[in-house]
Amino acid sequence: MRDTVELARHAERLGYHRFWVAEHHSVPGVAGSAPTVLAAAVASATATIRVGTGGVMLPNHRPLVVAEQFGVLASLFPGRIDMGLGRSVGFTGGIRRALGTEKDAAEDFEEQLAELLGYFTGTQTAHPQVHARPAEGLAVPAFVLATGAGARIAARAGLALVVGDFRDPEKLLAALDEYRAGFRPSGLWPRPYVVISGTVAVAGTADAARRLLVPEARALAYSRTHGVFPPLRPEAEGDAMTTERERGFYEDALRGHVHGTEEQVAEALGTLIERTAADEVLVTTSTYDRAALRESYERLARVAGLAGRGGPAAVGAGAGPAPAP
């Protein structure tokens, strides 16, 4: 948790625009169990960078409580808070039961979203005479993290869309086309706003960058075959898989991410931005080695031409497993 807050300070010094934290439950080593609480810690430790969630999973929460939490954040840190919202539910049946949700809870996302936004405008009708304090009257930028049906919901609501990952460009482009075609302007977003999201790892060599991806790929493969997420381990421990099935998930988890040297990453990101006409890129790098993580974002800052305080960006920041700039 402290490393995440320090990483946010680092991101701010480099000139990164946002630092977002995610929501994950029962996952060792991921700083994402209480995103609005962590966002408050990050915002209080920084001064200028925007802070938000990527995202709060609305099916896990009551819209009133989410509105109140973001109202508090936006009141304490005016002009710096982003409200990223997702449709996902818990990873396992046990987590879903503990959260009080089921697999089909995502089907109610559009109604929950409308209620949540209504608390900010004072127009919600689900619960007459109920007001979210201090959210009512505040304009907090809202983003929907989604593809498919979620992209259509974002368009109808007139919200910004965060869509990923980079590994399936055709699916990504299809979701963006549908979102842009169906977008209805709102008080928060007068036009479609697209954020493409994915994993980026930058190092001195392509092999070194790929090694940054190994701990997360290994953890993902284990989770797919054992039903629980293990903590990330050092890449040096090796990437031996115990079964052919686990090896398949591991190899799949390594595919399609943007990784390499600064020149290689610049070319790959440039191509993605050109193809998608994205307004913004949301990057996360999940790895065990904190020094290598910082170096990756330092290099990414140079790729992006960010200007931090005191001159051109020399260091970059990102998120580890949970937050991303």
Side-chain angles (χ1 to χ4, degrees):
M1 298 292 180
R2 288 188 290 271
D3 283 344
T4 296
V5 173
E6 180 54 38
L7 200 55
R9 292 193 186 103
H10 202 39
E12 182 173 70
R13 288 192 292 268
L14 294 168
Y16 278 91
H17 185 49
R18 309 181 196 275
F19 193 93
W20 281 11
V21 295
E23 179 178 341
H24 296 282
H25 299 280
S26 193
V27 181
V30 174
S33 57
T36 54
V37 177
L38 185 56
V42 168
S44 66
T46 54
T48 58
I49 196 169
R50 296 194 66 89
V51 179
T53 53
V56 166
M57 297 301 143
L58 201 50
N60 297 336
H61 309 279
R62 300 301 301 177
L64 173 63
V65 175
V66 176
E68 290 170 337
Q69 290 173 342
F70 278 95
V72 169
L73 286 170
S75 298
L76 292 173
F77 310 102
R80 294 182 55 209
I81 299 301
D82 299 323
M83 184 168 62
L85 305 163
R87 301 169 64 237
S88 297
V89 294
F91 175 65
T92 67
I95 295 172
R96 290 191 293 272
R97 287 189 294 274
L99 291 170
T101 59
E102 297 297 336
K103 279 188 176 182
D104 60 359
E107 296 176 7
D108 299 326
F109 178 74
E110 189 163 15
E111 290 75 16
Q112 286 185 299
L113 182 62
E115 181 183 340
L116 171 62
L117 297 175
Y119 283 120
F120 286 90
T121 59
T123 60
Q124 70 83 24
T125 58
H127 302 284
Q129 298 184 325
V130 175
H131 300 270
R133 309 292 188 194
E136 191 169 309
L138 299 179
V140 179
F143 302 72
V144 173
L145 284 68
T147 56
R152 292 191 291 273
I153 291 169
R156 287 193 291 266
L159 302 183
L161 178 69
V162 182
V163 60
D165 55 37
F166 298 154
R167 293 184 293 177
D168 191 342
E170 298 310 315
K171 183 178 179 181
L172 177 65
L173 291 171
L176 296 184
D177 288 344
E178 187 170 31
Y179 165 73
R180 289 177 172 129
F183 186 83
R184 301 173 184 172
S186 71
L188 292 174
W189 298 96
R191 66 172 183 84
Y193 193 90
V194 169
V195 182
I196 57 172
S197 172
T199 295
V200 178
V202 197
T205 67
D207 285 343
R210 184 183 182 278
R211 287 196 296 272
L212 290 177
L213 304 176
V214 167
E216 175 78 354
R218 206 162 42 200
L220 284 169
Y222 187 92
S223 73
R224 294 292 185 268
T225 52
H226 294 77
V228 293
F229 260 90
L232 300 186
R233 304 197 311 272
E235 184 272 337
E237 289 185 6
D239 54 6
M241 300 289 105
T242 57
T243 67
E244 184 176 344
R245 183 166 177 261
E246 195 171 358
R247 165 65 65 174
F249 283 122
Y250 169 72
E251 293 294 343
D252 183 64
L254 286 172
R255 291 190 188 99
H257 303 299
V258 174
H259 71 282
T261 64
E262 291 175 41
E263 294 76 13
Q264 291 169 327
V265 167
E267 181 178 359
L269 283 179
T271 299
L272 271 170
I273 292 168
E274 183 177 359
R275 290 191 69 189
T276 61
D279 298 283
E280 196 167 332
V281 181
L282 177 71
V283 169
T284 185
T285 307
S286 183
T287 194
Y288 179 88
D289 188 332
R290 302 299 296 187
L293 175 68
R294 289 169 67 94
E295 180 186 346
S296 178
Y297 284 109
E298 291 167 8
R299 293 177 179 274
L300 181 60
R302 291 198 288 268
V303 168
L306 300 182
R309 286 182 276 170
V315 275

